[in-house]
Amino acid sequence: MTIPDSSGFHYMMENGSIELPCKPEEERRIVQELTAKAESNLREGNLYYVVSSRWFSAWQRYTGQIEGAYPFEAHPMESQSPIPSNTGDRPGLIDNSDIVVNGGDNKDDDPQLLRTLEEGRDYVLVPQEVWEKLSKWYKGGPVLPRKMISVGDQQKQFIVEVYPLCLRLIDSRDQSEVVIRLSKKASLHDLYVKVCNLKVLQPEKARIWDYFNKQKHSILISSNQTLEDCTLQMDQDILLEVPMDDFGMDSTGNGLALVPVEPVRSPFSIAGGPTMSNGNSTGYSSNINQRGTSTSTYGDMEDGYDGFKPVTRGDRGGLAGLQNLGNTCFMNSGLQCLVHTPDLVEYFLQDYSEEINRQNPLGMHGELALAFGELLRKLWSSGRTPVAPRAFKGKLARFAPQFSGYNQHDSQELLAFLLDGLHEDLNRVKRKPYFETKDSDGRPDEEVADEFWRYHKARNDSIIVDICQGQYKSTLVCPICDKISITFDPFMYLSLPLPSTATRSMTITVFYCDGSGLPMPFTVSVLKQGCCKDLKQALGIACCLRSDEYLLLAEVYEHRIYRYLENPSDPLATIKDDEHIVAYRLPKREADLTRVEICHRYQEIERKPFLTPLVTILEDPQSGADIDIAVSRVLSPLRRKAFITSTTHSSRENGSAANAIDEQMECSCTQLEPMIQSAEEMEPEGMSSKELSFRLCITDDKGYGCRPIAKDSPIKPGRVVKVMLDWTDKEHELYDSSYLKDLPEVHKSGILSKKTKQEAISLFSCLDAFLKEEPLGPDDMWYCPRCKEHRQASKKLDLWRLPDILVFHLKRFSYGRWLKNKLDTFVNFPIHNLDLSKYVKSKDASEGSHVYELYAISNHYGGLGGGHYSAYCKLIDDNKWYHFDDAHVSPVNESEIKTSAAYVLFYRRVKPTSSGTVGEPSDGHRVS
């Protein structure tokens, strides 16, 4: 066995290790088995290790594991094609220096990860058993262990806590600061133990305060309550106080005058009367005993609210920003849009206690609605003082663990969860009745729609349903039996595709494998998220494919067939715009035939490959003569004497097959000749009894190792025969090779495409794309009740009933298993007078106006895996727009709010005036 020369191997030898490295494929097998075992036994406390993606990718290449699988997932193609045993050099020492602060040079026993890392892109997580193997084989480091924790109350999830909670401990005796790192699942008792060990104190002599924003909020009493339940945030301060004994000395013997830090007084109280911002009296000693540790009341105390008494808007109400608690701009942006929704402001500033549904199993026991309501009250009552939404973030993490931690998330996903959660927490229906939906069966749409809406309202009745939920009509048609199914479903928001992302234009050159026509490029439009099956279907229609034919897709690279695209479920995203894709028309009975693949090369000039490869078929070829006949047949459309007309002459001068499209279109749709003919029928003109008409060679599977063939050369039986055709002066004289030159790219990127990309698209075109009829995806088949089979039905959506608050989500992000993308296309959306009348199919006049005006926008700037969120919101009271960028709030002109960063749009219905014209929003404020 050859031992690769690597630094890792030398390191092992220098340290006396006699164990030789495993073979690459053996390493891969061992690691995959250990990973599978660990993943089948997930539990809280399991150890995982952080490994740099840079080093791990090198190991993946070395062991033949497909790079991009995270961390050991099977690639979709893995089961269909063998993985190469070794595709790279053996990596050296494990090197995590690129993901730790200062490159790990600070000699810290506990090196810290950079805060900007993204899982999968910058690092991977491997189980303890895998790390031990990798460390044994490669050594290196630094070692970065992390524990698995359980998050969420209702939906338990296991996650690896990559970033433990960092707290700045301030010692009130000397104002010294030290960073303490603990799991957010650690208890307050654990915190006291760590602090007292660090400061050499007895636990009973220490008092630790939640000192967020350098203000006392609550004393943290040693208990089993977790740091997460106390809503402690990453990098916040905690304050250590050591009370003096009877002799005026602290527990260390130092005579320090201890002056307690008094909480900042709030100028108002929601409940009435002067109180502190934390809702307690000023007495220092009484605070210690009065401060409760109940999770359910912590948020109430922090925000200073008492009960559900109506609250009046404060001076400059609605202009308070939200502090960023560590990548929470996504949350702040979504929240500002909701708290500036007039109907919600009016609702939550009143007494809504009777509406809380604590028994709903689909809700959050009312806690999410309470947390949101308290936060809204604070924002509308605190003037312009920024608010730290700690209590709300704590509730959010408990009920939606996907938003826990300190990574950037999606504001639309947060809004979807929040609207649904608020609805369930405020659902007026305590016991939901059961209804069995009926098929429309030809009944009038109005009757079916009203029936569905009554059923929905009987189970769902809340302020969110009242103002945010509409209804659309969904029509499914079976492609086999034409069964039509119509349903009317509720919606909370509309996710609109951007037309430039919904479809994709692709140019493919189609070749006739029987020599019945010239190659011809076809440009088709397909779904961007479609698969090869969709491309073949569109091409088949464009080129008039016969029922007894099929298309074989292939990528041509450097004049050779680089790969065949034979798997119909392969995503089209794997085909890049600058690639050259061809399609060969073959008979469906090709499985019984031999495929002949013909490449071309210059005979005189270094025998380099040129032109486009051709593919034809033969039935059981026996000798070189059969191959010669096949080559002659497939080249026959290129014979010069067959196309001496003014039209084709001009097309040949341009050297492009595209110029012959008009002439060939008629030919392509005519009846084709039989593809298999005998040697006697197809013998080339002038062919002697001993010589072939072409200079041909048989090559190996990779296209190398040419072996010249003669007329009687035996042909080894096989599925595919690869042939190299040497072009001489004779071939150039007889055949016009221009038709095989210069394949078009799948999508030509140039001046025209760049101009198109910069052009704006309208909100209406996005809505048209959303409502367009299209077939369901292969993973979303519909069960046809008539066929009793799952069918790829066509689906058509129509708007039927519109809500007072209409939310549009612009689908700028696309996520796949391997690909992610964001589109910064500018969408031109109306600010005033968005008229949707033509889209609404219901003729019920009682539904009110279909005209809307904009009042809030959630914006996203930057790319994937990061970026920044902010919000534009309109203050209805003063009819002005403001920019809410976390804690910073500033006025903005209405002319400036239309940007390519617009992500979620909030509209409200405009009420008709008494004269019948549209002039007022639904809350009575006039449109400017």
Side-chain angles (χ1 to χ4, degrees), residues 596 618 621 623-632 696 698 709 715 721 723:
V596 180
L618 280 175
S623 65
D626 296 328
I627 304 297
D628 195 71
I629 291 170
V631 173
S632 177
L696 302 172
I698 296 290
I709 59 174
I715 301 300
V721 175
V723 177

Side-chain angles (χ1 to χ4, degrees), residues 95-297:
D95 183 7
N96 288 330
S97 60
D98 63 315
I99 60 174
V100 296
V101 178
N102 298 322
D105 294 335
N106 55 0
K107 306 303 179 185
D108 191 349
D109 292 335
D110 185 18
Q112 294 306 300
L113 290 170
L114 296 168
R115 290 287 181 87
T116 57
L117 303 182
E118 182 182 346
E119 186 178 357
R121 182 192 67 186
D122 303 301
Y123 68 87
V124 298
L125 297 168
V126 300
Q128 180 179 4
E129 297 82 1
V130 171
W131 169 258
E132 290 172 352
K133 280 294 182 184
L134 292 175
S135 183
K136 186 176 183 180
W137 292 332
Y138 295 94
K139 309 300 180 184
V143 182
L144 302 168
R146 295 294 187 269
K147 283 188 177 181
M148 177 169 279
I149 61 174
S150 173
V151 296
D153 277 11
Q154 292 178 315
Q155 298 178 349
K156 291 286 185 182
Q157 295 181 10
F158 289 116
I159 66 168
V160 177
E161 190 175 27
V162 176
Y163 292 97
L165 191 62
C166 292
L167 302 171
R168 284 191 299 266
L169 175 67
I170 300 176
D171 194 329
S172 63
R173 296 170 296 180
D174 56 7
Q175 297 303 307
S176 63
E177 296 185 12
V178 63
V179 174
I180 291 178
R181 299 184 181 96
L182 282 170
S183 168
K184 63 182 180 182
K185 292 296 183 179
S187 66
L188 291 177
H189 173 76
D190 298 330
L191 175 65
Y192 268 84
V193 170
K194 186 150 190 172
V195 168
C196 291
N197 287 340
L198 183 67
K199 294 294 184 177
V200 194
L201 290 172
Q202 296 178 2
E204 61 272 14
K205 296 293 185 180
R207 290 172 182 161
I208 302 175
W209 286 83
D210 176 358
Y211 201 47
F212 184 80
N213 281 350
K214 294 291 193 294
Q215 296 179 10
K216 286 184 176 179
H217 289 270
S218 64
I219 195 164
L220 304 173
I221 299 176
S222 180
S223 66
N224 290 327
Q225 188 180 15
T226 66
L227 305 184
E228 180 183 38
D229 290 340
C230 295
T231 67
L232 296 181
Q233 304 298 310
M234 180 72 79
D235 298 324
Q236 79 155 75
D237 297 325
I238 54 175
L239 180 68
L240 171 65
E241 290 183 339
V242 184
M244 293 180 293
D245 57 21
D246 296 337
F247 299 97
M249 309 290 287
D250 65 11
S251 60
T252 61
N254 297 319
L256 298 177
L258 192 64
V259 180
V261 181
E262 185 174 290
V264 178
R265 289 183 178 271
S266 175
F268 61 88
S269 168
I270 300 299
T275 65
M276 310 311 269
S277 63
N278 61 11
N280 292 282
S281 63
T282 59
Y284 174 71
S285 59
S286 63
N287 259 343
I288 297 177
N289 296 320
Q290 290 177 7
R291 299 298 292 182
T293 59
S294 169
T295 304
S296 61
T297 60

Side-chain angles (χ1 to χ4, degrees), residues 80 128 130 132 137 174 186 188 195 210 248 369 418 420 428 446 483 487 595 647 685 804 913:
Q80 301 166 13
Q128 180 179 4
V130 171
E132 290 172 352
W137 292 332
D174 56 7
L188 291 177
V195 168
D210 176 358
L418 196 49
D420 187 65
R428 304 174 186 114
E446 289 75 10
K483 164 69 177 175
T487 58
R595 186 187 302 171
T647 304
E685 182 181 349
D804 288 340
T913 62

Side-chain angles (χ1 to χ4, degrees), residues 758-803:
Q758 293 175 353
E759 290 177 353
I761 59 176
S762 72
L763 182 66
F764 295 105
S765 64
C766 297
L767 190 56
D768 289 336
F770 172 73
L771 299 175
K772 181 181 178 181
E773 182 177 356
E774 60 184 13
L776 296 174
D779 297 328
D780 191 24
M781 305 283 271
W782 171 62
Y783 183 79
C784 176
R786 183 179 295 168
C787 296
K788 308 298 182 183
E789 295 282 348
H790 284 90
R791 302 296 190 194
Q792 193 170 3
S794 63
K795 183 175 184 178
K796 176 72 172 73
L797 294 178
D798 292 296
L799 298 182
W800 187 266
R801 187 190 309 264
L802 296 182

Side-chain angles (χ1 to χ4, degrees), residues 15-29:
N15 286 272
S17 175
I18 61 173
E19 180 180 348
L20 296 179
C22 298
K23 290 182 179 180
E25 55 271 22
E26 184 66 11
E27 287 190 18
R28 183 181 71 241
R29 183 190 64 79

